[in-house]
Amino acid sequence: MLLQLCTWPEVESYLARSQGLILPIGSTEQHGPNGLIGTDALCAEAVAKGVGDATQALVGPTINVGMALHHTGFPGSMSLRPSTLIALVQDYLKPLVSYGFTRFFFINGHGGNVATLKAAFAETYAALAEAQVPQAGAVRCAVANWYMCRSVYTLAKEFYGDQEGSHATPSEVALTQYLYPDHIKTVDLDPPVAPSGFPIYSATDFRQHYPDGRMGSNPALATPDHGQRLYEAAVKDLTSDYLRFVSADNQDNR
């Protein structure tokens, strides 16, 4: 159930039975020589739709650009500043809360979004309270990273071992290969496993230490079959997490 394919009476009817909304969020950034620039958003969107189908929950439009300033040394990468993403989340949620939504489950595909999202949740709670928005005190937000699901992590270790890495990983590339088989890229990776261990500062520093964009990964190991299994594992885990989240009376911010 996609919000953008509903009419307003349909949304009103939905709110009579559920106050939960799934919001996919990712990033538009480089993913190494063979990873699609939209990987983080494409993965989050697909998993969110799968969870929505499994739970009959409404799924909002994907937030395709996230906080990825450190990737902007590579052509095609885009980013919001943390302050911009915080403001965007507030602007997204305020009208939704006024209609009656109170549970916002962000399915996230980009590690760089996590700290900013948690800050955005705190600022949104405060802004809603200050504006005396009805139901402000009932609003709860959660961020669920599909790539950190226990079963996804277990499969990634089984498939790729220490060559999973932490960016432009074979697991996320595999998921895009499953979702978009006509856009699989085959390139020679040199070295096969990218360097790792350098801290992340500016975009220039990132490009210097990770010249092809990968961090400790070997995405040549990815296959569409792996992607299907990772997708199914993520949807299963996050379906359970979403149902617990919307049914909890006092859900802590995660």
Side-chain angles (χ1 to χ4, degrees):
M1 296 173 58
L2 301 182
L3 179 67
Q4 57 266 42
L5 297 182
C6 293
T7 64
W8 72 261
E10 289 174 325
V11 177
E12 190 170 68
S13 295
Y14 173 84
L15 282 165
R17 66 173 178 85
S18 177
Q19 291 73 55
L21 181 66
I22 297 171
L23 288 164
I25 181 169
S27 184
T28 299
E29 65 184 44
Q30 66 82 21
H31 272 76
N34 71 330
L36 306 180
I37 287 175
T39 291
D40 288 345
L42 296 170
C43 292
E45 181 175 77
V47 172
K49 289 179 179 178
V51 175
D53 288 344
T55 61
Q56 291 300 291
L58 202 59
V59 179
T62 303
I63 302 173
N64 288 287
V65 179
M67 207 305 288
L69 291 172
H70 49 294
H71 290 294
T72 54
F74 298 84
S77 297
M78 302 168 64
S79 181
L80 301 177
R81 290 173 296 167
S83 56
T84 305
L85 183 54
I86 289 170
L88 182 148
V89 169
Q90 287 191 49
D91 286 350
Y92 264 48
L93 299 192
K94 279 183 180 179
L96 293 168
V97 172
S98 73
Y99 308 139
F101 289 99
T102 59
R103 294 290 188 271
F104 299 98
F105 192 72
F106 286 76
I107 292 185
N108 177 48
H110 172 52
N113 288 337
V114 175
T116 302
L117 279 175
K118 290 185 176 182
F121 298 162
E123 293 215 18
T124 299
Y125 299 144
L128 291 170
E130 289 171 5
Q132 298 184 340
V133 176
Q135 299 298 316
V139 173
R140 301 289 184 270
C141 302
V143 55
N145 306 305
W146 77 266
Y147 51 88
M148 292 183 67
C149 294
R150 177 173 295 183
S151 59
V152 170
Y153 178 83
T154 299
L155 281 175
K157 294 298 288 185
E158 174 188 333
F159 293 154
Y160 315 120
D162 293 338
Q163 298 185 50
E164 166 72 351
S166 57
H167 181 66
T169 63
S171 61
E172 59 186 343
V173 170
L175 181 46
T176 62
Q177 289 180 346
Y178 167 61
L179 298 171
Y180 296 93
D182 293 338
H183 295 277
I184 294 174
K185 316 294 182 181
T186 302
V187 298
D188 292 327
L189 299 175
D190 184 22
V193 180
S196 63
F198 298 101
I200 298 174
Y201 297 109
S202 67
T204 300
D205 182 78
F206 186 100
R207 181 77 187 254
Q208 178 181 349
H209 287 112
Y210 304 107
D212 73 359
R214 296 176 296 141
M215 298 177 67
S217 65
N218 181 7
L221 301 176
T223 72
D225 288 342
H226 289 168
Q228 180 175 1
R229 290 184 62 186
L230 291 161
Y231 167 80
E232 292 169 351
V235 168
K236 182 178 180 180
D237 281 7
L238 292 183
T239 292
S240 297
D241 289 349
Y242 174 77
L243 292 173
R244 282 195 298 270
F245 173 66
V246 295
S247 65
D249 292 331
N250 294 294
Q251 172 70 34
D252 292 333
N253 175 25
R254 297 187 299 170

